[in-house]
Amino acid sequence: MIQAFLLDMNRKDLYKLAFMLQSSGQVNVIGMSAQPQEAVDRILQLQPEVLFMDLQGPGLQGVLVAELVKQKIPHIQIIVVTESKQHALWAFDHAVADYVLKPLEEVRLSQSLERLRMGS
């Protein structure tokens, strides 16, 4: 079972993603947050295998969180789940595991989980 942490400033999207991942039977959501600042500490404490996160937010908070987490936990996989394509180039340059556009669809999320499984 994949151990995951979720970060999304939109609580509705956060809970929807948590529900979809738990329902997949492949992911154990060990933590989630709508606050980027608190998320970093929790992620470092919990050491998840995967971070599902939205890069949207005030300024570059999402990008900074992703870079800091990757620096501290180099083996963590990051899957960006966002409404915008604006960070796609950054994601490609930083070798994120996947880039999923909202609204979330089960088929697309399943493809992401398959990528994680194949990459492990």
Side-chain angles (χ1 to χ4, degrees):
M1 181 103 38
I2 299 167
Q3 305 299 308
F5 190 94
L6 317 181
L7 171 60
D8 195 320
M9 280 136 287
N10 179 324
R11 289 189 187 277
K12 182 180 174 189
D13 289 347
L14 184 65
Y15 291 115
K16 179 179 180 180
L17 178 58
F19 176 79
M20 291 175 78
L21 290 171
Q22 294 280 107
S23 297
S24 76
Q26 300 175 60
V27 178
N28 180 26
V29 176
I30 60 172
M32 51 193 231
S33 178
Q35 302 295 323
Q37 299 87 350
E38 85 166 6
V40 173
D41 291 336
R42 300 234 0 254
I43 292 164
L44 296 178
Q45 176 188 24
L46 295 169
Q47 297 281 311
E49 298 168 88
V50 181
L51 170 59
F52 287 85
M53 69 177 299
D54 191 347
L55 295 175
Q56 299 293 104
L60 292 175
Q61 275 187 333
V63 169
L64 295 174
V65 166
E67 289 177 353
L68 180 61
V69 167
K70 194 71 172 167
Q71 186 178 45
K72 300 278 187 187
I73 310 173
H75 64 275
I76 195 168
Q77 295 292 315
I78 297 176
I79 294 183
V80 175
V81 181
T82 189
E83 293 176 346
S84 168
K85 297 177 185 175
Q86 104 182 45
H87 298 293
L89 186 57
W90 173 90
F92 179 75
D93 287 345
H94 288 81
V96 301
D98 205 355
Y99 198 94
V100 181
L101 291 176
K102 294 178 184 176
L104 284 173
E105 296 174 3
E106 278 188 48
V107 171
R108 183 63 183 91
L109 196 55
S110 292
Q111 291 170 343
S112 262
L113 295 177
E114 182 64 18
R115 282 190 182 153
L116 279 177
R117 206 175 59 69
M118 299 297 279
S120 325

